[in-house]
Amino acid sequence: MSAIDILNRDTTEAAPPSTAAAQKDGDILGRIGNLETRLARTAREIDAAQAVRYRVFVDEMKAQLPLEAMRRQRDVDAYDAFCDHLLVLDRTIEGDPEDQIVGTYRLLRQDVAIANGGFYSASEFEIEGLLAKHPDKRFMELGRSCVLPEYRTKRTVELLWQGNWAYALKHGVSAMFGCASFPGVYLESHALALSFLYHNVLAKNEWAVSALPHLARNMDLMPVEGVNPKRALMALPPLIKGYMRLGAMVGSSAVVDHAFNTTDVLIVLPISSISDRYLNYYGADAGRFAS
């Protein structure tokens, strides 16, 4: 049994979508039970998503943001103004929609990035080289992924991916990429997991991409024969395991982000590489959890 087979053994059917009366909202991208996913509609909702990000990145992960962001208790940067913000909301929470946000992703399409100075990931990884090898493809960056601790369940992750997939289809996206993080800044503490990624899901050939030379840190920390796949998979962050299940690859080097107190790897996911089982599960038209 391969490492990916081991990884996929715990994939089970999600709870069925709610069959409640149809909502008047026409922009819902997916719904499972009391949770729904859609793009932020207002500046207040984006502000609330930034507050959720602050709770996860600063309160939980001990990131050090600029002083104004720390004062406002919001994770905010210049990219927020032109990215789309995917939300997961718990509709059973009393209050306005911004009070119901429990998870978020930041989405940046290639045409929007080019018009606004580039991709966020380009501050750590050689994104321009990757784009240059695929002039006929449309890329989308996934970033700032976070979910409140009590909502870190399979259905929340599935709804986030339902939203990503529906959005990608709507905009004709050919490939997705983005940073995914390990907690902490000491690579040695993640030697097993990083080595597993390097030996098993390395992006190669036309999809190969590395960190910027002055930031690149070696991920090949253990010989392949010393990597126990089961133990390595247990050591991987859930988000990275989720990407792998879909068919993602990783860049060849990591970056230590001292401000966010993380070790970052670049995830690369061509649409053509998404596993058939997940295309069938979510639907080729993103209809699996559609409202």
Side-chain angles (χ1 to χ4, degrees), residues 24 109 151 188 276:
K24 64 180 180 180
R109 304 192 309 276
Y151 288 90
E188 295 76 12
D276 286 343

Side-chain angles (χ1 to χ4, degrees), residues 82-127:
F82 50 83
C83 288
D84 283 323
H85 299 263
L86 184 68
L87 310 175
V88 171
L89 300 94
D90 182 349
R91 302 299 291 184
T92 64
I93 296 175
E94 294 185 5
D96 296 324
E98 51 265 29
D99 301 315
Q100 301 173 335
I101 297 170
V102 300
T104 183
Y105 245 115
R106 192 167 73 178
L107 312 180
L108 179 55
R109 304 192 309 276
Q110 184 172 358
D111 56 335
V112 178
I114 290 172
N116 289 278
F119 286 106
Y120 176 86
S121 301
S123 65
E124 294 187 347
F125 296 93
E126 294 186 324
I127 302 301

Side-chain angles (χ1 to χ4, degrees), residues 1-14 154 158 196 228-234 241-242 244-246 275 277-278:
M1 179 179 293
S2 71
I4 302 302
D5 289 332
I6 296 171
L7 177 65
N8 279 318
R9 284 195 304 179
D10 64 355
T11 301
T12 57
E13 281 288 310
K154 187 171 184 289
E158 286 188 327
F196 171 83
N228 181 302
K230 290 185 179 180
R231 289 182 56 208
L233 289 168
M234 291 176 62
K241 284 194 282 191
M244 286 177 57
R245 289 190 182 103
L246 289 164
S275 167
R277 65 183 303 184
Y278 283 94

Side-chain angles (χ1 to χ4, degrees), residues 56-75:
V56 173
F57 299 145
V58 178
D59 292 345
E60 182 179 347
M61 298 174 62
K62 309 306 179 187
Q64 293 294 317
L65 304 181
L67 289 177
E68 179 61 15
M70 299 293 277
R71 184 190 68 79
R72 292 182 53 213
Q73 297 190 351
R74 298 291 188 274
D75 168 44

Side-chain angles (χ1 to χ4, degrees), residues 122-137:
S123 65
E124 294 187 347
F125 296 93
E126 294 186 324
I127 302 301
E128 290 302 318
L130 178 64
L131 302 182
K133 289 183 282 191
H134 301 276
D136 59 329
K137 291 183 170 59

